[in-house]
Amino acid sequence: MIRYALQCDGGHGFEAWFGASADYDDQAARGLVECPVCGSHAVSKQIMAPAVAGTRKTSGEPDAAKMQGMMMQVAREVRSHVEQNFDYVGDAFAREARDIHEGRSEKREIYGEATPAEVRKLREDGVPCAPLPPVPPDPSRLN
């Protein structure tokens, strides 16, 4: 894949990805490359610095450990919010979610357990559901 910095005749800059440099030339010649802002087909490549892998980290780039800690904190907050504000229905989740979706039970936010087969059937039938993030380990207990 190759990424090009592009600009239309209206001065709008944007980026696009192509399988190879010849793909850009082919698509531009056929009028398939257009500005996402104004729709102009008069698009040209701009000068662009190549992305070169290095060994030094840039100062603005967070490290992997910090990102992992942030993601674990968000997972804890999501789970805590659900546990405090939703009704726990245990292993009756699939039945209860279907009843709510089909109007046989009052509309409310629920959470509980379901088998992979039950979740697959709910999704096939258009019943909205999503997995709850697992309980992340306590950061004070990590080495």
Side-chain angles (χ1 to χ4, degrees):
M1 295 294 288
I2 187 166
R3 178 179 53 139
Y4 282 125
L6 304 172
Q7 185 173 11
C8 74
D9 59 348
H12 303 118
F14 59 99
E15 293 181 349
W17 289 85
F18 297 90
S21 60
D23 293 342
Y24 167 80
D25 297 332
D26 176 59
Q27 291 179 32
R30 294 187 297 149
L32 300 176
V33 179
E34 75 176 42
C35 174
V37 177
C38 67
S40 172
H41 292 279
V43 174
S44 59
K45 292 188 263 184
Q46 299 300 297
I47 295 176
M48 197 172 158
V52 177
T55 57
R56 294 188 325 215
K57 288 187 177 184
T58 59
S59 60
E61 189 175 307
D63 66 10
K66 185 174 180 179
M67 289 298 291
Q68 180 182 17
M70 290 169 42
M71 295 301 292
M72 289 171 57
Q73 179 61 33
V74 169
R76 273 191 288 283
E77 290 172 10
V78 167
R79 186 168 190 97
S80 175
H81 175 80
V82 168
E83 289 173 345
Q84 291 173 15
N85 298 290
F86 291 26
D87 293 335
Y88 178 73
V89 295
D91 61 3
F93 177 81
R95 180 180 43 79
E96 197 61 34
R98 184 176 304 285
D99 287 349
I100 291 169
H101 180 73
E102 295 174 354
R104 291 190 302 266
S105 189
E106 82 175 74
K107 184 169 175 57
R108 69 190 198 286
E109 305 301 330
I110 62 171
Y111 75 106
E113 280 83 42
T115 66
E118 290 171 327
V119 171
R120 186 172 35 259
K121 184 69 175 141
L122 288 171
R123 289 184 177 155
E124 287 171 0
D125 295 342
V127 179
C129 61
L132 190 59
V135 178
D138 181 351
S140 65
R141 305 186 95 194
L142 298 174
N143 17 341

